[in-house]
């Protein structure tokens, strides 16, 4: 794969310093302007403060790029013509020299090819409520790409029990980070158990090493609950999600447009609160990912 990696990331990987991959769909399709650019920059800063080098991943004019320059980040945050790129979108974007923002699946694929082991995001995609065949490519990518993804669970708009079932089928260990429950993105608990609880970055690193010794192809999903002070009450967010789902059905929103429709709609319905929570959990995940990356070191 032809990947452009910026010198800072090349050097960090070569000297076995910790690197954390960050996705770009969050910037183009997940958060509204101008918050998206502020958050993209701030997340990179959080990774640095926690001792790792950030590598935001995107496709620019058909070139897969690991580590974005400030003006590239700005361009993505402002453009209306960036394609949301999961695994299946890569040939299209590259053949047509388009701009693409990588989803969790797309970011995992590129990060792994570049030799990065840990990746931080907000919430992964999963199985959609009432549409058990709408399964995010994030889940199948987790089954085939040995990257550690730090998230706050799956996005709250999804069917969490079915999402965990698919992760089991895909052979993906689900880790509760300082929790025994799978977190529910905006709120800390879902009532659903995880496969293992880890309380420190070193415990996660041990799992990563064991997976590598076994030569298993799957990623590891580390789910960290949003900090208590920023969590939203489950009932409030549920009401907004039900409303957003009804709106999507009424407008006939389908396919890859579903997630980008639902997330801003929930945000609109809950006001400032859900956005603050979303940003808080992103930073929390970026920090934890940097700490884990610091323990695993480098190596494919
Ligand atoms: N979670 C968020 N914001 C986002 C996404 C997830 O809080 O923007 C994005 C991620 O890039 C994820 C994608 O990979 O949504 C999943 O889309 P789909 O359900 O179409 O696979
Ligand atoms: Mn889908």
């Amino acid at each position: 794969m032809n990947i452009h990696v910026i010198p800072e990331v090349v050097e960090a990987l070569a000297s076995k310093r910790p690197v954390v991959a960050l996705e770009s769909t969050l910037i183009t399709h997940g958060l509204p302007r101008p918050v998206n650019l502020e958050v993209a920059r701030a997340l990179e800063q959080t990774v640095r403060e926690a001792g790792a080098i950030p590598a935001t991943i995107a496709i620019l004019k058909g070139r897969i790029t690991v580590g974005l320059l400030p003006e590239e980040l700005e361009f993505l945050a402002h453009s209306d013509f960036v394609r949301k790129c999961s695994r299946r979108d890569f040939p299209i974007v590259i053949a047509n020299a388009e701009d693409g923002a990588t989803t969790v699946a797309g970011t995992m694929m590129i990060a792994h090819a570049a030799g990065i082991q840990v990746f931080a995001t907000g919430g992964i995609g999963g199985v959609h409520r009432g549409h058990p065949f709408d399964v995010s490519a994030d889940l199948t990518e987790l089954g085939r790409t040995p990257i550690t993804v730090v998230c706050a669970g799956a996005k709250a708009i999804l069917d969490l029990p079915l999402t965990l079932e698919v992760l089991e089928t895909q052979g993906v260990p689900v880790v509760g980070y300082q929790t025994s429950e799978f977190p529910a993105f905006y709120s800390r608990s879902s009532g659903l158990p995880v496969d293992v609880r880890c309380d420190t970055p070193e415990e996660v690193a041990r799992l990563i090493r064991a997976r590598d010794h076994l030569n298993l192809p799957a990623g590891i999903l580390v789910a960290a609950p949003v900090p208590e002070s920023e969590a939203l009450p489950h009932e409030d967010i549920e009401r907004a999600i039900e409303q957003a789902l009804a709106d999507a059905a009424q407008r006939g929103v389908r396919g890859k447009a579903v997630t980008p429709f639902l997330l801003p709609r929930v945000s609109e319905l809950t006001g400032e609160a859900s956005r603050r929570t979303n940003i808080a959990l992103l930073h929390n995940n970026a920090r934890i990912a940097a700490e884990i990356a610091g323990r695993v070191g480098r190596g494919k």
Side-chain angles (χ1 to χ4, degrees):
M1 209 181 295
N2 193 4
I3 302 176
H4 171 67
V5 185
I6 58 162
E8 187 188 23
V9 174
V10 172
E11 282 155 29
L13 290 172
S15 56
K16 300 194 189 304
R17 272 184 295 136
V19 175
V20 171
L22 297 168
E23 62 151 309
S24 46
T25 295
L26 179 70
I27 307 170
T28 56
H29 294 72
L31 291 167
R33 294 176 199 151
V35 182
N36 60 346
L37 179 59
E38 290 162 24
V39 172
R41 287 178 176 148
L43 283 177
E44 293 197 349
Q45 193 49 36
T46 293
V47 169
R48 286 187 198 282
E49 282 163 13
I53 302 295
T56 305
I57 295 180
I59 307 173
L60 298 164
K61 310 257 169 311
R63 182 164 82 153
I64 299 172
T65 307
V66 174
L68 301 181
L69 302 174
E71 58 269 30
E72 292 170 337
L73 212 53
E74 226 164 283
F75 165 79
L76 285 178
H78 292 144
S79 171
D80 287 324
F81 303 102
V82 181
R83 185 192 280 256
K84 175 182 162 191
C85 279
S86 210
R87 178 177 273 266
R88 64 105 189 257
D89 301 284
F90 278 77
I92 303 167
V93 174
I94 288 158
N96 297 333
E98 285 178 29
D99 299 306
T102 50
T103 63
V104 169
T107 307
M108 286 180 75
M109 199 177 123
I110 302 310
H112 177 60
I116 300 171
Q117 301 204 83
V118 185
F119 161 32
T121 184
I124 59 161
V127 182
H128 284 264
R129 294 188 194 180
H131 301 272
F133 292 104
D134 184 353
V135 179
S136 173
D138 294 353
L139 302 188
T140 39
E141 196 64 38
L142 277 161
R144 68 201 287 179
T145 304
I147 286 262
T148 298
V149 180
V150 182
C151 66
K155 286 167 297 177
I157 54 173
L158 300 167
D159 186 318
L160 300 186
L162 287 188
T163 298
L164 289 173
E165 290 296 336
V166 175
L167 286 167
E168 179 188 9
T169 306
Q170 291 293 327
V172 180
V174 177
V175 178
Y177 196 76
Q178 297 174 347
T179 180
S180 305
E181 261 184 73
F182 192 57
F185 198 73
Y186 296 111
S187 34
R188 290 172 57 87
S189 84
S190 66
L192 300 163
V194 289
D195 302 318
V196 64
R197 173 184 176 133
C198 287
D199 287 308
T200 62
E202 178 52 30
E203 283 178 47
V204 178
R206 221 178 294 148
L207 281 180
I208 296 172
R209 280 180 226 122
R211 188 268 325 270
D212 290 345
H213 280 135
L214 291 164
N215 242 321
L216 292 171
I220 292 176
L221 189 66
V222 176
V226 64
E228 197 123 41
S229 57
E230 304 289 340
L232 293 181
H234 189 66
E235 312 75 58
D236 295 5
I237 202 75
E238 237 354 87
R239 218 172 305 125
I241 291 167
E242 295 291 339
Q243 179 66 48
L245 288 168
D247 295 348
Q250 198 207 342
R251 289 181 207 196
V253 180
R254 291 225 174 84
K256 69 190 285 192
V258 172
T259 297
F261 174 85
L262 290 175
L263 292 176
R265 188 75 188 108
V266 169
S267 180
E268 241 169 63
L269 290 165
T270 53
E272 197 54 30
S274 69
R275 189 178 322 148
R276 271 192 45 190
T277 305
N278 199 343
I279 295 171
L281 65 84
L282 281 164
H283 283 283
N284 192 50
N285 297 343
R287 179 184 50 79
I288 293 166
E291 290 167 1
I292 294 170
R295 304 301 303 186
V296 282
R298 200 237 156 187
K300 272 199 235 186

